[in-house]
Amino acid sequence: MKKLSMLINARDIISHISPEIYGHFSEHLGRCIYNGIYVGEDSAIPNTDGIRNDIIEAFREIKVPVLRWPGGCFADEYHWKDGIGKKSERKKMINTNWGGVTEDNSFGTHEFFRLCELVGCEPYLSGNVGSGTVRELSEWIEYITSDNVSPMTELRKQNGREKPWKLKYLGIGNENWGCGGNMRPEFYADVYRRFQSFCKNYGDNKLFRIACGPGEGDIGWTEGLMKNITHAHADAISLHHYTLPTKNWTKKGDAVKFGNEEYYSTIAGAVHTDDLIARNIDIMNRYDPKNEIKLTVDEWGCWYDVMEGTNPGFLYQQNTMRDAVVAAYSLNIFNRRSDRVVMANIAQVVNVLQAIILTEGEAMIKTPTYHVFDLFKEHQGGENVYCWCDNEKIGNENEKVPMISSSASVKDGVMTITLANASLDEDAEISCDICGFNASSAQAKILTGEVHALNDIDNGDRVKPAEYSASVSGGNLSVVLPACSVVTVTVK
Ligand code: AHR
């Protein structure tokens, strides 16, 4: 048992945690939308307007705050007008990025906004910059948000929606350094400036414009972009970071069969998120010292080799306790960086990459990652306060990571502390002094299991949170974190 001390100072408020840090990403990819979230009105699976009821319920339970759509790479070949009107008359297209399958556009703008309405979350649209036009994007915004008289608002009304929707989050392009057009940063910055000029605020709708930022460590992109935009053009830039156990895109590693070495290198990938954010913030601070342009990590998560026997273009993978630890480390990093990071979207929400939900016909399975979002949800809208841990480095010869990940927030007089122990073989006994807060009671929940433990169709409850014990006495919290565990402590 490792004994570690921690200190939380509730008087030292560092930043506000935007609920959107707990956001998600849904793309027309594999079984994320079709045969995932959306089964169609005629399905035998209980649904509301074609959207699975159990999924709506599961999203509501963890308070999904924002959902990004329709991509990803798909966004830069998506033409929104193909996805409105009578379903039988909607154009079919080839999803060239993801398996070359036929996209029948039966899930489009109206269906997406209905989903967000049912879940109670903010919609986040990725606009097509790579193969779309300025007019097309400008008209999409008008179609969605204007209450005036115009061909676009008439079209919306003809399609059954009288009142405009609200739209806050708008991504202008996706990975435009890659699948979104293979541009150079200076060129993209100009294209971006032009596109955003025509994304108007109708009525009291106010867009939060997100420019395509770097992928992984490509800080040259951040530099080139930040040099050429100001807050007048953008409210945020995005960052994409995927965690690959082997760091090799042609052999990423298996989702369920892995040894200790691969495990620790996966955790290191999550820890690396913090370096990436820090390096981007350094550059952003030079061009935007007032912190007006925010950072969104709008794609993150583990990316493994696709599950054997599944379509390689569908990016389907299982999810174990390893993924839970990655999620906890990542979310604690976002909480701690919430001064600049105002949104993060795990990739992807259902049946793709580090999904929180897997479906198999009628069955719906909550993955270990889902439960981490559940354990962390009370941070949403809280104040991120000073939280320090006298950490240990663990791992193997090649990869060392901090043994404990932590963050703390206060909301409505309640403190939420989230902790993870990444060690595979050693428990940690935490003794945490809490200052500036009248701590009189503590309740805890835990998610733990053997690192390969997962939920599947045979047993969807193998990994699930359980009540746990933590105690507070004289302003000191004491809690034991078993090896490979994620714990939430609520202090009142
Ligand atoms: O999430 C899968 C893909 O990863 C997205 O479509 C793309 O933006 C990224 O490269």
Side-chain angles (χ1 to χ4, degrees):
M1 173 93 71
K2 184 74 67 196
K3 288 183 190 280
L4 296 172
S5 16
M6 275 183 67
L7 174 66
I8 295 174
N9 182 0
R11 272 188 221 104
D12 191 354
I13 297 173
I14 294 162
S15 47
H16 178 74
I17 301 176
S18 302
E20 285 79 1
I21 280 181
Y22 291 84
H24 293 265
F25 169 36
S26 58
E27 180 166 11
H28 287 234
L29 192 179
R31 294 192 298 115
C32 182
I33 301 290
Y34 304 113
N35 286 318
I37 296 170
Y38 187 71
V39 287
E41 292 87 339
D42 301 332
S43 170
I45 298 171
N47 67 81
T48 305
D49 301 330
I51 300 161
R52 278 181 80 133
N53 290 343
D54 50 3
I55 288 188
I56 297 169
E57 195 43 47
F59 286 3
R60 290 178 69 92
E61 246 171 65
I62 57 166
K63 301 185 180 161
V64 166
V66 62
L67 192 58
R68 179 172 182 248
W69 176 83
C73 295
F74 180 78
D76 279 289
E77 64 175 16
Y78 181 64
H79 300 284
W80 69 271
K81 282 187 187 158
D82 298 347
I84 55 170
K86 230 170 148 196
K87 291 199 180 188
S88 57
E89 288 166 16
R90 293 188 191 175
K91 261 193 211 160
K92 294 194 172 42
M93 65 179 277
I94 305 165
N95 189 334
T96 61
N97 285 290
W98 307 118
V101 295
T102 303
E103 161 66 56
D104 71 1
N105 276 305
S106 54
F107 189 92
T109 305
H110 290 251
E111 291 76 17
F112 175 65
F113 276 83
R114 180 72 176 129
L115 165 64
C116 294
E117 212 163 68
L118 291 167
V119 172
C121 70
E122 293 277 352
Y124 170 13
L125 293 185
S126 286
N128 182 346
V129 167
S131 72
T133 63
V134 174
R135 179 175 181 175
E136 193 180 359
L137 183 56
S138 153
E139 287 187 339
W140 202 12
I141 309 304
E142 184 184 319
Y143 182 91
I144 293 167
T145 62
S146 172
D147 205 8
N148 221 320
V149 180
S150 80
M152 286 307 112
T153 57
E154 283 311 304
L155 188 58
R156 185 190 69 228
K157 288 175 193 170
Q158 273 167 35
N159 289 331
R161 175 78 189 193
E162 188 62 29
K163 287 275 148 217
W165 293 281
K166 284 273 174 243
L167 173 67
K168 182 172 178 189
Y169 297 109
L170 177 69
I172 302 183
N174 169 74
E175 298 196 350
N176 301 91
W177 36 262
C179 64
N182 282 301
M183 303 177 200
R184 288 165 298 170
E186 295 76 14
F187 178 78
Y188 168 74
D190 278 345
V191 170
Y192 170 84
R193 288 168 65 128
R194 179 164 167 248
F195 268 73
Q196 68 80 32
S197 309
F198 300 94
C199 295
K200 308 282 183 184
N201 291 321
Y202 292 99
D204 62 355
N205 190 73
K206 176 100 178 66
L207 296 170
F208 184 92
R209 300 145 305 162
I210 303 168
C212 163
E216 306 300 333
D218 182 8
I219 48 171
W221 179 275
T222 313
E223 184 85 39
L225 179 63
M226 287 301 297
K227 200 184 281 178
N228 290 295
I229 58 166
T230 68
H231 181 44
H233 313 115
D235 298 291
I237 69 167
S238 63
L239 164 69
H240 289 182
H241 168 50
Y242 285 101
T243 293
L244 280 61
T246 62
K247 301 178 180 69
N248 172 357
W249 280 94
T250 48
K251 191 97 196 73
K252 303 178 212 35
D254 196 276
V256 293
K257 291 183 214 129
F258 53 89
N260 290 6
E261 186 129 349
E262 267 191 35
Y263 166 78
Y264 284 115
S265 97
T266 314
I267 305 306
V271 172
H272 182 52
T273 311
D274 194 52
D275 305 335
L276 288 177
I277 294 174
R279 282 156 72 189
N280 279 287
I281 291 178
D282 278 351
I283 296 169
M284 294 173 82
N285 279 343
R286 267 195 282 119
Y287 293 100
D288 174 38
K290 288 196 193 142
N291 188 4
E292 288 176 317
I293 303 181
K294 302 294 182 184
L295 190 63
T296 64
V297 188
D298 62 13
E299 286 186 31
W300 68 271
C302 292
W303 192 325
Y304 308 120
D305 295 328
V306 292
M307 195 186 226
E308 238 176 86
T310 64
N311 186 327
F314 281 15
L315 311 185
Y316 180 83
Q317 62 191 41
Q318 247 295 357
N319 197 293
T320 65
M321 264 310 292
R322 169 174 65 168
D323 296 85
V325 175
V326 166
Y329 269 61
S330 307
L331 293 171
N332 279 332
I333 290 169
F334 301 145
N335 284 345
R336 286 172 170 276
R337 292 281 184 188
S338 53
D339 185 32
R340 207 34 113 149
V341 176
V342 295
M343 194 199 297
N345 309 72
I346 191 169
Q348 297 189 6
V349 74
V350 174
N351 290 333
V352 172
L353 300 177
Q354 193 176 343
I356 58 165
I357 283 173
L358 302 175
T359 63
E360 214 51 74
E362 269 204 41
M364 186 208 67
I365 296 141
K366 294 175 179 169
T367 66
T369 301
Y370 175 93
H371 295 303
V372 173
F373 276 84
D374 194 25
L375 291 181
F376 277 59
K377 67 186 174 195
E378 292 310 325
H379 280 305
Q380 293 189 28
E383 303 307 315
N384 166 40
V385 296
Y386 179 86
C387 175
W388 170 86
C389 180
D390 179 20
N391 233 321
E392 277 283 308
K393 285 277 180 168
I394 54 160
N396 48 48
E397 260 177 41
N398 300 324
E399 218 76 74
K400 293 269 182 261
V401 296
M403 180 177 186
I404 305 299
S405 155
S406 62
S407 72
S409 71
V410 179
K411 186 172 66 181
D412 303 329
V414 177
M415 180 179 284
T416 301
I417 308 167
T418 45
L419 303 153
N421 177 2
S423 171
L424 288 178
D425 45 35
E426 196 169 14
D427 299 355
E429 188 183 325
I430 304 285
S431 164
C432 176
D433 283 332
I434 300 179
C435 322
F437 189 87
N438 187 13
S440 53
S441 70
Q443 282 179 318
K445 281 194 176 161
I446 189 167
L447 187 74
T448 189
E450 199 279 324
V451 68
H452 301 92
L454 52 81
N455 294 332
D456 58 15
I457 190 134
D458 298 328
N459 188 348
D461 274 338
R462 223 178 263 121
V463 184
K464 63 172 183 193
E467 296 299 326
Y468 196 55
S469 67
S471 61
V472 167
S473 164
N476 183 276
L477 166 76
S478 123
V479 60
V480 172
L481 307 178
C484 194
S485 69
V486 179
V487 170
T488 296
V489 185
T490 307
V491 182
K492 289 183 186 159

Short mmCIF file of all heavy atoms in Angstrom, two decimals, residues 25 27 29 68 71-74 98 174-175 177 179 240 242 249 299 303 315 347-348 352-353, ligand 1:
data_model
loop_
_atom_site.label_atom_id
_atom_site.label_comp_id
_atom_site.label_asym_id
_atom_site.label_seq_id
_atom_site.Cartn_x
_atom_site.Cartn_y
_atom_site.Cartn_z
N PHE A 25 -19.16 13.06 -29.18
CA PHE A 25 -18.98 13.24 -30.61
C PHE A 25 -19.69 12.10 -31.33
O PHE A 25 -19.52 10.93 -30.97
CB PHE A 25 -17.46 13.24 -30.89
CG PHE A 25 -17.05 13.15 -32.33
CD1 PHE A 25 -17.76 13.78 -33.35
CD2 PHE A 25 -15.89 12.46 -32.68
CE1 PHE A 25 -17.35 13.70 -34.67
CE2 PHE A 25 -15.46 12.39 -34.00
CZ PHE A 25 -16.21 13.00 -34.99
N GLU A 27 -20.55 10.69 -35.26
CA GLU A 27 -20.26 10.85 -36.69
C GLU A 27 -21.03 9.82 -37.51
O GLU A 27 -21.37 8.74 -37.00
CB GLU A 27 -18.74 10.67 -36.91
CG GLU A 27 -18.32 10.83 -38.37
CD GLU A 27 -16.81 11.00 -38.56
OE1 GLU A 27 -16.05 10.79 -37.60
OE2 GLU A 27 -16.40 11.35 -39.69
N LEU A 29 -20.44 7.28 -39.09
CA LEU A 29 -19.30 6.37 -39.16
C LEU A 29 -19.73 5.05 -38.53
O LEU A 29 -20.18 5.05 -37.38
CB LEU A 29 -18.12 7.00 -38.38
CG LEU A 29 -16.71 6.44 -38.49
CD1 LEU A 29 -15.74 7.25 -37.66
CD2 LEU A 29 -16.56 4.98 -38.26
N ARG A 68 -21.43 16.63 -30.76
CA ARG A 68 -20.86 17.12 -32.01
C ARG A 68 -21.31 16.21 -33.15
O ARG A 68 -21.32 14.99 -33.01
CB ARG A 68 -19.33 17.13 -31.88
CG ARG A 68 -18.58 17.58 -33.10
CD ARG A 68 -17.09 17.71 -32.76
NE ARG A 68 -16.31 18.20 -33.88
CZ ARG A 68 -15.42 17.47 -34.54
NH1 ARG A 68 -15.18 16.22 -34.18
NH2 ARG A 68 -14.75 17.99 -35.55
N GLY A 71 -19.57 15.01 -38.25
CA GLY A 71 -18.24 14.41 -38.29
C GLY A 71 -17.33 15.39 -37.61
O GLY A 71 -17.78 16.44 -37.14
N GLY A 72 -16.11 15.07 -37.61
CA GLY A 72 -15.25 14.14 -38.27
C GLY A 72 -15.07 14.40 -39.78
O GLY A 72 -15.56 15.38 -40.36
N CYS A 73 -14.26 13.49 -40.32
CA CYS A 73 -13.96 13.56 -41.75
C CYS A 73 -15.24 13.62 -42.57
O CYS A 73 -15.28 14.24 -43.63
CB CYS A 73 -13.11 12.36 -42.15
SG CYS A 73 -11.49 12.36 -41.37
N PHE A 74 -16.30 12.96 -42.09
CA PHE A 74 -17.56 12.94 -42.83
C PHE A 74 -18.09 14.37 -43.04
O PHE A 74 -18.72 14.67 -44.06
CB PHE A 74 -18.59 12.09 -42.08
CG PHE A 74 -19.93 12.00 -42.77
CD1 PHE A 74 -20.11 11.15 -43.86
CD2 PHE A 74 -20.99 12.78 -42.35
CE1 PHE A 74 -21.35 11.08 -44.52
CE2 PHE A 74 -22.23 12.72 -42.99
CZ PHE A 74 -22.40 11.87 -44.08
N TRP A 98 -15.56 6.24 -44.55
CA TRP A 98 -15.82 5.17 -43.59
C TRP A 98 -16.50 3.96 -44.23
O TRP A 98 -17.71 3.81 -44.17
CB TRP A 98 -16.62 5.71 -42.40
CG TRP A 98 -15.94 6.91 -41.80
CD1 TRP A 98 -16.42 8.18 -41.72
CD2 TRP A 98 -14.61 6.95 -41.23
NE1 TRP A 98 -15.49 9.01 -41.13
CE2 TRP A 98 -14.37 8.29 -40.83
CE3 TRP A 98 -13.60 6.01 -41.03
CZ2 TRP A 98 -13.18 8.69 -40.24
CZ3 TRP A 98 -12.41 6.42 -40.45
CH2 TRP A 98 -12.21 7.73 -40.06
N ASN A 174 -13.16 20.57 -40.26
CA ASN A 174 -12.63 19.54 -39.38
C ASN A 174 -11.32 19.01 -39.96
O ASN A 174 -11.26 18.68 -41.15
CB ASN A 174 -13.62 18.37 -39.26
CG ASN A 174 -13.00 17.14 -38.58
OD1 ASN A 174 -12.81 17.13 -37.36
ND2 ASN A 174 -12.64 16.13 -39.36
N GLU A 175 -10.30 18.95 -39.16
CA GLU A 175 -8.99 18.41 -39.59
C GLU A 175 -8.67 18.89 -41.01
O GLU A 175 -8.39 18.09 -41.91
CB GLU A 175 -8.96 16.87 -39.48
CG GLU A 175 -9.14 16.41 -38.04
CD GLU A 175 -8.76 14.97 -37.77
OE1 GLU A 175 -8.51 14.21 -38.72
OE2 GLU A 175 -8.70 14.61 -36.57
N TRP A 177 -6.14 20.16 -42.05
CA TRP A 177 -4.76 19.83 -42.37
C TRP A 177 -4.68 18.41 -42.95
O TRP A 177 -3.63 17.98 -43.42
CB TRP A 177 -3.87 19.93 -41.13
CG TRP A 177 -4.56 19.50 -39.86
CD1 TRP A 177 -5.13 20.33 -38.95
CD2 TRP A 177 -4.77 18.15 -39.38
NE1 TRP A 177 -5.69 19.58 -37.92
CE2 TRP A 177 -5.49 18.26 -38.14
CE3 TRP A 177 -4.43 16.89 -39.85
CZ2 TRP A 177 -5.86 17.13 -37.39
CZ3 TRP A 177 -4.81 15.78 -39.11
CH2 TRP A 177 -5.52 15.91 -37.90
N CYS A 179 -7.95 15.15 -43.66
CA CYS A 179 -9.13 14.75 -44.45
C CYS A 179 -10.01 15.93 -44.84
O CYS A 179 -10.77 15.85 -45.80
CB CYS A 179 -9.93 13.69 -43.72
SG CYS A 179 -10.65 14.27 -42.15
N HIS A 240 -7.17 17.83 -31.57
CA HIS A 240 -7.52 16.40 -31.61
C HIS A 240 -6.35 15.58 -31.08
O HIS A 240 -5.22 15.78 -31.50
CB HIS A 240 -7.84 15.95 -33.05
CG HIS A 240 -9.15 16.50 -33.55
ND1 HIS A 240 -9.66 16.19 -34.79
CD2 HIS A 240 -10.05 17.32 -32.96
CE1 HIS A 240 -10.82 16.82 -34.94
NE2 HIS A 240 -11.08 17.51 -33.85
N TYR A 242 -5.62 11.44 -30.07
CA TYR A 242 -6.00 10.04 -29.85
C TYR A 242 -4.88 9.30 -29.14
O TYR A 242 -3.70 9.57 -29.37
CB TYR A 242 -6.32 9.36 -31.19
CG TYR A 242 -7.67 9.79 -31.74
CD1 TYR A 242 -7.78 10.75 -32.74
CD2 TYR A 242 -8.84 9.27 -31.22
CE1 TYR A 242 -9.02 11.15 -33.23
CE2 TYR A 242 -10.10 9.66 -31.69
CZ TYR A 242 -10.17 10.60 -32.69
OH TYR A 242 -11.41 11.00 -33.15
N TRP A 249 0.26 3.80 -36.15
CA TRP A 249 -1.07 3.82 -36.77
C TRP A 249 -1.39 2.54 -37.55
O TRP A 249 -2.55 2.23 -37.79
CB TRP A 249 -1.24 5.05 -37.68
CG TRP A 249 -1.56 6.26 -36.87
CD1 TRP A 249 -0.66 7.19 -36.40
CD2 TRP A 249 -2.84 6.67 -36.36
NE1 TRP A 249 -1.31 8.14 -35.64
CE2 TRP A 249 -2.65 7.86 -35.61
CE3 TRP A 249 -4.14 6.15 -36.47
CZ2 TRP A 249 -3.70 8.53 -34.98
CZ3 TRP A 249 -5.18 6.83 -35.84
CH2 TRP A 249 -4.96 7.99 -35.11
N GLU A 299 -11.98 16.04 -30.22
CA GLU A 299 -11.87 14.59 -30.46
C GLU A 299 -10.76 14.07 -29.56
O GLU A 299 -9.61 14.54 -29.65
CB GLU A 299 -11.53 14.28 -31.93
CG GLU A 299 -12.70 14.48 -32.86
CD GLU A 299 -12.43 14.04 -34.31
OE1 GLU A 299 -11.64 13.09 -34.52
OE2 GLU A 299 -13.01 14.66 -35.21
N TRP A 303 -7.75 4.72 -29.40
CA TRP A 303 -7.99 4.20 -30.75
C TRP A 303 -7.17 2.92 -30.90
O TRP A 303 -5.96 2.96 -30.90
CB TRP A 303 -7.58 5.25 -31.79
CG TRP A 303 -8.03 4.98 -33.20
CD1 TRP A 303 -8.16 3.79 -33.82
CD2 TRP A 303 -8.40 5.97 -34.18
NE1 TRP A 303 -8.59 3.95 -35.11
CE2 TRP A 303 -8.75 5.30 -35.36
CE3 TRP A 303 -8.47 7.37 -34.17
CZ2 TRP A 303 -9.14 5.96 -36.53
CZ3 TRP A 303 -8.85 8.03 -35.33
CH2 TRP A 303 -9.20 7.32 -36.50
N LEU A 315 -14.47 1.14 -37.34
CA LEU A 315 -13.78 1.51 -36.10
C LEU A 315 -14.50 1.05 -34.83
O LEU A 315 -14.63 1.81 -33.86
CB LEU A 315 -13.54 3.03 -36.05
CG LEU A 315 -12.92 3.70 -37.28
CD1 LEU A 315 -12.64 5.18 -37.00
CD2 LEU A 315 -11.65 3.01 -37.74
N ALA A 347 -14.39 10.57 -28.52
CA ALA A 347 -14.70 9.94 -29.80
C ALA A 347 -14.81 8.43 -29.58
O ALA A 347 -13.86 7.83 -29.14
CB ALA A 347 -13.61 10.25 -30.81
N GLN A 348 -15.98 7.92 -29.94
CA GLN A 348 -17.21 8.58 -30.25
C GLN A 348 -18.31 7.99 -29.36
O GLN A 348 -18.08 6.99 -28.71
CB GLN A 348 -17.56 8.40 -31.71
CG GLN A 348 -16.52 9.03 -32.65
CD GLN A 348 -16.97 9.05 -34.12
OE1 GLN A 348 -18.08 8.70 -34.47
NE2 GLN A 348 -16.04 9.44 -34.99
N VAL A 352 -18.35 3.31 -31.74
CA VAL A 352 -17.15 3.71 -32.49
C VAL A 352 -16.06 4.16 -31.51
O VAL A 352 -16.33 4.95 -30.60
CB VAL A 352 -17.47 4.86 -33.48
CG1 VAL A 352 -16.21 5.41 -34.13
CG2 VAL A 352 -18.44 4.39 -34.57
N LEU A 353 -14.84 3.63 -31.71
CA LEU A 353 -13.68 3.99 -30.88
C LEU A 353 -14.03 3.87 -29.38
O LEU A 353 -14.66 2.90 -28.98
CB LEU A 353 -13.15 5.37 -31.27
CG LEU A 353 -12.66 5.47 -32.74
CD1 LEU A 353 -12.20 6.87 -33.09
CD2 LEU A 353 -11.56 4.47 -33.04
O1 AHR B 1 -13.09 9.83 -35.01
C1 AHR B 1 -12.65 9.27 -36.21
C2 AHR B 1 -11.94 10.25 -37.11
O2 AHR B 1 -10.77 10.68 -36.50
C3 AHR B 1 -12.66 11.54 -37.40
O3 AHR B 1 -13.58 11.43 -38.44
C4 AHR B 1 -11.55 12.46 -37.79
O4 AHR B 1 -11.84 13.81 -37.53
C5 AHR B 1 -10.37 11.93 -37.00
O5 AHR B 1 -9.26 11.76 -37.81
#
